[in-house]
Amino acid sequence: MSKSALSQHDSLFKKFLGDIPIAQDFLEAHLPLHLRERCDFSTLAMESGSVIEDDLRTQCSDMIYSVQTNSGKGYIYTVVEHQSRPEKLMAFRLLRYSVAAMQRHIEQGNNTLPVVIPVLFYHGTTSPYPYTTQWFDCFADPELAESVYRQAFPLVDITTIPDEEILMHRRVALLQLVQKHIRTRDML
């Protein structure tokens, strides 16, 4: 697709979805029911800026909306895919955009993460969209990835492990003991 056509698609997308009542209709039509039920669409507002990396701006356009939910402020994030072919790792890219929106939220002085709902708006020539939008499917081992990322990350809190247990950790025991007692003045 030519740069001119991409620019026209981008302008059309932003013109329509920049209108809050149209964006509200779009989201009410396309978000899953369990997400729609949590959103107060009367609070839908456009957020400024973009979370798409500079090198992808010629291929994509994004719109970010804030909306009050039953658990606070959330973001609805949409991406228009301007490529003529689908992207196999689009789910990962959507995750990256979501994390970027969360980071921006934190940088604005907030101390909790908002829920960001990424929405892929696809209009390519291949139909239907042939790839998953489940980011776990981007891994070679989706089951392993899900087992890691759907639970708390492993924590090694050396302050709670008794020294006797640390001594059984073989080659790493010395490092752990030093780190555990590093603030002890008379360690030696």
Side-chain angles (χ1 to χ4, degrees), residues 108-144:
Q108 293 170 347
N110 298 289
N111 61 6
T112 59
L113 295 175
V115 173
V116 178
I117 306 167
V119 177
L120 174 61
F121 185 99
Y122 172 73
H123 61 90
T125 56
T126 301
S127 180
Y129 190 79
Y131 298 116
T132 181
T133 56
Q134 169 54 264
W135 82 283
F136 292 127
D137 294 337
C138 295
F139 290 90
D141 188 340
E143 284 183 28
L144 176 60

Side-chain angles (χ1 to χ4, degrees), residues 30-103:
H30 296 292
L31 285 181
L33 179 61
H34 74 280
L35 297 175
R36 285 194 318 261
E37 290 175 339
R38 291 177 170 246
C39 296
D40 176 1
F41 287 108
S42 71
T43 67
L44 190 68
M46 181 77 67
E47 294 289 320
S48 63
S50 173
V51 293
I52 292 181
E53 296 92 347
D54 291 337
D55 62 324
L56 295 175
R57 287 220 174 107
T58 60
Q59 301 169 12
C60 300
S61 175
D62 64 332
M63 305 290 284
I64 301 176
Y65 306 95
S66 62
V67 64
Q68 292 296 315
T69 66
N70 59 5
S71 59
K73 186 175 184 178
Y75 288 96
I76 309 251
Y77 179 71
T78 64
V79 175
V80 172
E81 174 60 51
H82 286 301
Q83 295 176 346
S84 61
R85 58 185 168 78
E87 187 172 317
K88 186 174 183 177
L89 297 177
M90 180 54 79
F92 178 63
R93 200 155 100 189
L94 291 171
L95 178 68
R96 289 173 46 209
Y97 297 157
S98 297
V99 170
M102 291 176 203
Q103 178 65 36

Side-chain angles (χ1 to χ4, degrees), residues 3-13 82:
K3 277 192 171 191
S4 174
L6 288 173
S7 178
Q8 290 172 349
H9 285 196
D10 186 54
S11 295
L12 182 66
F13 173 72
H82 286 301

Side-chain angles (χ1 to χ4, degrees), residues 165-183:
E165 184 179 333
I166 290 173
L167 289 171
M168 300 185 67
H169 293 171
R170 301 187 322 223
R171 290 174 285 224
V172 76
L174 180 59
L175 169 67
Q176 292 176 349
L177 283 170
V178 168
Q179 292 296 312
K180 180 178 179 180
H181 298 289
I182 200 144
R183 288 171 197 80

